[in-house]
Amino acid sequence: MDCIFCKIIKGEIPSAKVYENEHVYAFKDINPNAPVHVLIVPKTHIASVDEIDCSNVCTAAEVFKAIPHIAKICGLENGYRVITNVGEDGGQTVKHMHFHLLGGTKLAVKLN
Ligand code: 5GP
Ligand code: ZN
């Protein structure tokens, strides 16, 4: 499968790793939209939140469990935002489920 995030997880494409455990990989977004912009992905390929079902919900939960830990590593004591884009209308460009962790400044309230 030609998935850029699977290649990053395998180390075939370099990335700035922030955190890793058995289930989750987190790395700096190449084109940051905030002082802290980290992408958090499951190590197994799930296309998007729309693909979550009984067979992979535990993996998705592992991603959520990692978020507070990664936020601490990034020094986001004052708060942060977690975003996931889904499909064409959601603006998803990489079809491997990922959560954007954004912070390090007072973020604007803006939907599009
Ligand atoms: P999406 O638009 O799918 O929600 O988010 C994809 C994100 O992946 C974008 O913010 C984009 O900057 C980031 N991205 C795309 N390719 C790479 C890459 O090769 N390395 C890193 N670190 N980030 C990437
Ligand atoms: Zn993938």
Side-chain angles (χ1 to χ4, degrees):
M1 198 187 345
D2 199 28
C3 171
I4 193 169
F5 286 177
C6 281
K7 287 180 181 162
I8 284 175
I9 292 159
K10 284 190 255 174
E12 293 170 8
I13 293 175
S15 64
K17 180 169 90 172
V18 173
Y19 175 77
E20 180 176 19
N21 69 21
E22 188 188 346
H23 306 284
V24 174
Y25 190 76
F27 55 104
K28 290 185 184 172
D29 195 295
I30 205 165
N31 186 21
N33 288 315
V36 173
H37 188 169
V38 172
L39 300 174
I40 308 171
V41 305
K43 285 189 171 175
T44 53
H45 184 92
I46 301 172
S48 77
V49 164
D50 202 47
E51 304 289 311
I52 294 174
D53 60 21
C54 293
S55 73
N56 59 24
V57 69
C58 291
T59 304
E62 288 291 341
V63 175
F64 276 97
K65 207 169 80 180
I67 289 172
H69 187 64
I70 297 165
K72 270 193 192 69
I73 290 171
C74 295
L76 301 177
E77 290 85 4
N78 212 37
Y80 53 88
R81 184 170 294 160
V82 177
I83 294 175
T84 189
N85 297 322
V86 179
E88 189 67 26
D89 283 0
Q92 184 181 9
T93 59
V94 179
K95 309 293 191 253
H96 180 128
M97 184 173 79
H98 53 280
F99 294 84
H100 299 256
L101 174 66
L102 297 152
T105 189
K106 179 91 177 158
L107 297 164
V109 178
K110 186 163 165 280
L111 284 178
N112 53 43

